[in-house]
Amino acid sequence: MNNIVEKKTMYDTVMQQFNKTADAIKLDSEIRKILEATTNEIVVHFPVKLDDGKIKIFTGYRVQHNNVLGPYKGGLRYHPSLDINDAKALAMWMTWKTSLVGLPYGGAKGGIQLDPRDYSLSELERISRRFTYALGDNIGPEYDIPAPDVNTNEQTMAWIADTYMSTKSASERSRSKHVVTGKPVGSGGLEGRDRATGFGVFLNIKLWYQSKNESLKGKTFIVQGFGNVGYWVSHFLSGEGAVLIGVQDAHATLYHKEGIDVVDLHNHCKPRKGSIKGFNGAKEISAADFFGLDCNILIPAAMGNQITSDNAYKIKANLVAEGANGPTDAEGEAILLNKDIIIIPDILCNSGGVIGSYFEWLQNRNGEIWHLEEVMSKLEKKMTEVFRKVESIVKEGNIDWRSAAFILAITRIETAYKQRGIFP
Ligand code: NAD
């Protein structure tokens, strides 16, 4: 007998979640066939000249899962572990997320298999531009609209938008600006898009405590990942008196029982390619001790499949707010639910990002400029509405939050297929 146990992938996790929901709602078996498949899986290999004059071939992905509700939408990730299976899983989560929050979008995801720390800024620019060129009309402002994800940011989006627009005729150019969202404000970006995801995670946590008549003051939290999402959620939580006591990134794990200063940590990261390592306002501990830290709230805001049967039993937090996509696998989730730990699922918890992206897309499409206060208040209204809807399904059905969010998301897509039928 072969004793090798294959490591679970994000794709295993998303399919397990989908199948569980499809069974629970008795999803039409014909529609189930459509939703378990990804519509397009694009893999491109493209050459880039590096700073030393040598050519390197890179592999990029774009998976378009489903567009029954509108154009494909989802981020681009630059990471050495990214493969087609990860892109498929992340694209599916985007379909459920956009449906859950009621946006006129479908789901997609992609990126390039690389570690950006291995390349200079000008190499990253050439890689991003050449990737955009290789994707060609597989993306487009009314067809498939990428956004930032792990290791990509507003600069990456500016290069992509510029490259895409440069390949269009002069008269079409400015109509193509919304080919990506998450652009810098000076290049068609939305005020507040940078903080939208972290703010949404914060708001979900705040609303959850409000439902229990509790405030955030004095609550302790730990964050895995101190990039865009991890930083901004920490910023908003600490603004309401919650205390960051532990943080982990790809390079170090820090702990300080009395509280870690979010501003100081952020300033420490800036000149160090985002790394928290070496911060002197906390002590470095073993990575394996992170999940077991005694706290009220755990926020995974890094990679997928982080909370598993290997560590879920150690978790002491009573609320897990998923900033990352797919951070909890099926076994990890079963352990948490058994311990009565509440999980606010990714497709609800981190949906502030795609809602912000939708606002940016509308702003570009209509030639408008929205102010920060307007953006944040629209975001808060939309997210509160979705939170309350999911909360009511949780209460009515006496079920967990992920099941409730998935039921709402997948039922909406089923309804759209039933109304339209299948061509021809
Ligand atoms: P980012 O690149 O800005 O930051 C990623 C952080 O995770 C960094 O601090 C990095 O060091 C850390 N990290 C990477 N590998 C790790 C590991 N193995 N262990 C611990 N830490 C690790 O990325 P981001 O935009 O903040 O995205 C984080 C998560 O949130 C991802 O799952 C992403 O899909 C999800 N998300 C992001 C957005 C968005 O708007 N940026 C929206 C929705 C969901």
Side-chain angles (χ1 to χ4, degrees):
M1 203 179 87
N2 182 340
N3 278 331
I4 297 172
V5 181
E6 270 213 45
K7 204 174 165 305
K8 285 272 164 52
T9 63
M10 287 197 284
Y11 188 68
D12 295 323
T13 304
V14 74
M15 285 309 293
Q16 189 275 342
Q17 294 168 349
F18 171 68
N19 285 323
K20 185 178 159 198
T21 313
D23 292 344
I25 61 172
K26 298 188 175 52
L27 178 67
D28 181 294
S29 59
E30 303 303 304
I31 295 170
R32 187 168 178 154
K33 286 183 208 161
I34 301 172
L35 293 181
E36 62 195 8
T38 37
T39 307
N40 300 306
E41 295 172 19
I42 301 140
V43 183
V44 290
H45 304 288
F46 55 94
V48 176
K49 197 185 268 182
L50 300 182
D51 290 346
D52 63 6
K54 297 237 162 60
I55 298 288
K56 184 164 177 171
I57 305 293
F58 291 87
T59 300
Y61 305 97
R62 186 71 182 166
V63 172
Q64 295 158 339
H65 171 241
N66 187 281
N67 65 350
V68 71
L69 297 179
Y72 299 110
K73 186 88 190 81
L76 290 175
R77 170 176 295 198
Y78 288 0
H79 199 274
S81 71
L82 181 73
D83 61 15
I84 191 76
N85 250 2
D86 281 3
K88 279 168 68 170
L90 291 160
M92 266 195 169
W93 274 313
M94 283 309 299
T95 304
W96 314 145
K97 193 185 306 181
T98 50
S99 170
L100 173 68
V101 294
L103 298 180
Y105 287 138
K109 205 81 171 199
I112 310 176
Q113 196 178 71
L114 61 75
D115 186 344
R117 293 169 75 93
D118 295 342
Y119 300 95
S120 70
L121 194 65
S122 65
E123 286 173 332
L124 286 172
E125 175 173 356
R126 291 197 293 282
I127 294 166
S128 303
R129 287 184 180 279
R130 192 63 203 235
F131 178 42
T132 310
Y133 186 75
L135 286 174
D137 282 333
N138 287 303
I139 57 171
E142 302 292 327
Y143 176 57
D144 181 357
I145 308 121
D149 193 71
V150 175
N151 289 331
T152 57
N153 52 31
E154 58 175 34
Q155 177 60 79
T156 326
M157 297 305 117
W159 292 328
I160 295 175
D162 183 66
T163 308
Y164 182 86
M165 287 161 75
S166 302
T167 63
K168 300 291 155 200
S169 68
S171 61
E172 258 186 86
R173 222 159 271 166
S174 27
R175 276 197 284 128
S176 308
K177 202 186 270 174
H178 50 299
V179 63
V180 283
T181 54
K183 300 178 291 291
V185 171
S187 299
L190 181 82
E191 291 275 5
R193 174 60 186 87
D194 54 356
R195 68 210 65 185
T197 309
F199 175 77
V201 177
F202 151 78
L203 188 65
N204 271 280
I205 297 170
K206 183 173 163 169
L207 290 170
W208 186 78
Y209 275 110
Q210 260 176 13
S211 295
K212 289 162 34 90
N213 285 325
E214 285 183 46
S215 87
L216 286 169
K217 199 160 173 51
K219 297 283 183 303
T220 52
F221 67 101
I222 60 174
V223 181
Q224 186 191 45
F226 201 69
N228 175 283
V229 181
Y231 161 65
W232 279 108
V233 65
S234 303
H235 164 90
F236 287 111
L237 282 172
S238 61
E240 296 237 348
V243 186
L244 173 67
I245 60 161
V247 53
Q248 178 176 67
D249 74 358
H251 315 282
T253 303
L254 304 176
Y255 174 61
H256 189 57
K257 200 175 168 206
E258 284 69 42
I260 299 171
D261 190 291
V262 174
V263 177
D264 286 352
L265 183 60
H266 186 52
N267 288 336
H268 168 88
C269 292
K270 279 187 209 156
R272 293 173 180 80
K273 292 195 171 180
S275 173
I276 61 170
K277 198 169 176 63
F279 179 65
N280 60 17
K283 72 169 182 212
E284 189 162 344
I285 58 166
S286 148
D289 292 336
F290 176 74
F291 284 112
L293 291 174
D294 199 0
C295 62
N296 300 117
I297 310 158
L298 161 63
I299 305 156
M303 306 299 288
N305 279 3
Q306 296 299 301
I307 301 174
T308 67
S309 54
D310 291 342
N311 53 32
Y313 65 92
K314 297 186 200 171
I315 291 175
K316 298 200 179 72
N318 39 31
L319 178 66
V320 174
E322 294 185 337
N325 285 306
T328 313
D329 77 3
E331 289 78 17
E333 173 151 86
I335 295 169
L336 297 185
L337 294 179
N338 243 328
K339 296 192 336 166
D340 287 333
I341 296 174
I342 302 294
I343 308 167
I344 306 184
D346 45 10
I347 62 169
L348 169 65
C349 198
N350 70 32
S351 62
V354 73
I355 297 172
S357 279
Y358 172 60
F359 294 162
E360 179 173 333
W361 187 73
L362 284 181
Q363 177 188 266
N364 294 161
R365 246 180 152 203
N366 301 336
E368 292 175 8
I369 294 173
W370 300 12
H371 295 293
L372 185 61
E373 299 72 42
E374 191 185 352
V375 171
M376 297 313 281
S377 99
K378 283 190 161 132
L379 183 60
E380 181 162 354
K381 185 164 177 271
K382 179 85 182 147
M383 294 213 66
T384 306
E385 215 176 272
V386 183
F387 179 92
R388 295 282 177 234
K389 259 187 204 137
V390 177
E391 187 182 39
S392 69
I393 300 176
V394 167
K395 286 187 179 151
E396 273 163 34
N398 194 21
I399 52 176
D400 65 279
W401 285 70
R402 191 181 322 275
S403 298
F406 266 66
I407 287 173
L408 187 53
I410 294 176
T411 304
R412 279 190 177 147
I413 298 173
E414 182 184 34
T415 304
Y417 271 112
K418 285 195 166 153
Q419 287 164 344
R420 292 189 204 179
I422 305 294
F423 171 82

